[in-house]
Amino acid sequence: MTIAAAKISVLFVCLGNICRSPTAHGVFAKLVEQRGYGSVISVDSAGTGDWHLDHAPDKRTTQVAASKGYDLSQLRARLVTSADFDQFDYIIAMDRANLKDLRDMQPQDYTGHLGLFLDFSEQPSVHEVPDPYYGGEDGFELVFGLVEEASLGLLQHLEVSHPEALAP
Ligand code: 4NP
């Protein structure tokens, strides 16, 4: 894969872009900063559905994230578009329905990585980040834990796959 200007770009995608992908966006971006990769890895998120465009993340999402030290309040929902395939090296879906929608949009010549987020978890107990929107508080805590674990795995994968860009 060619990495434009030694940058690795990562896009997290869920359905509404107000619960799961903003959590991944905030958690992974903070990890990237903490590890000193802020100028090398760019992070964004988007949704396949358009119900919440320009909305801040769901309150339950921002509350759980805030309780763990993450501020997601500045994020705003946007729709994933075919132009994202020109821009992002990694497009990472939260569940299989998101992945199918993305595969339907994927240009034939896309050379980046399109796949499921939890495939980066070391010992995934589940393979999809479950949609917490219509459930209770527990679902948001579960999402957060799955996202934290997969974020560590994703960063490790990037370090192994792009040593030239992420050299210490
Ligand atoms: P997300 O959760 O895909 O994790 O942002 C959802 C948010 C909103 C809806 C569904 C899922 N909705 O149907 O409005």
Side-chain angles (χ1 to χ4, degrees):
M1 186 188 314
T2 1
I3 302 298
K7 265 255 185 191
I8 302 166
S9 47
V10 177
L11 179 69
F12 295 106
V13 178
C14 63
L15 179 58
N17 193 208
I18 57 167
C19 301
R20 293 166 292 173
S21 60
T23 302
H25 184 163
V27 168
F28 190 66
K30 188 165 178 174
L31 180 62
V32 160
E33 281 296 328
Q34 284 170 339
R35 297 284 180 90
Y37 297 135
S39 60
V40 188
I41 302 175
S42 65
V43 186
D44 197 2
S45 63
T48 58
D50 63 3
W51 308 283
H52 303 282
L53 298 184
D54 291 324
H55 291 189
D58 186 284
K59 274 209 176 64
R60 297 164 293 177
T61 292
T62 49
Q63 277 166 6
V64 168
S67 75
K68 323 270 185 194
Y70 295 82
D71 179 8
L72 306 184
S73 63
Q74 301 308 306
L75 300 179
R76 294 295 177 268
R78 76 167 178 89
L79 201 55
V80 65
T81 72
S82 56
D84 287 314
F85 287 89
D86 296 330
Q87 211 181 319
F88 289 93
D89 304 304
Y90 286 79
I91 299 183
I92 299 179
M94 296 297 131
D95 66 31
R96 291 193 180 95
N98 310 145
L99 184 59
K100 182 190 180 303
D101 288 341
L102 289 164
R103 286 204 172 120
D104 289 346
M105 298 172 64
Q106 176 184 0
Q108 276 193 346
D109 60 355
Y110 181 60
T111 56
H113 174 102
L114 173 60
L116 285 175
F117 192 25
L118 297 191
D119 284 351
F120 292 104
S121 290
E122 235 168 51
Q123 290 184 315
S125 45
V126 287
H127 293 283
E128 302 176 283
V129 183
D131 181 347
Y133 188 66
Y134 291 108
E137 186 73 22
D138 287 6
F140 289 82
E141 291 281 349
L142 173 65
V143 164
F144 193 90
L146 293 171
V147 163
E148 262 191 322
E149 198 199 327
S151 292
L152 292 171
L154 173 59
L155 189 60
Q156 198 168 25
H157 171 87
L158 296 182
E159 286 175 329
V160 170
S161 306
H162 308 285
E164 74 298 340
L166 300 179

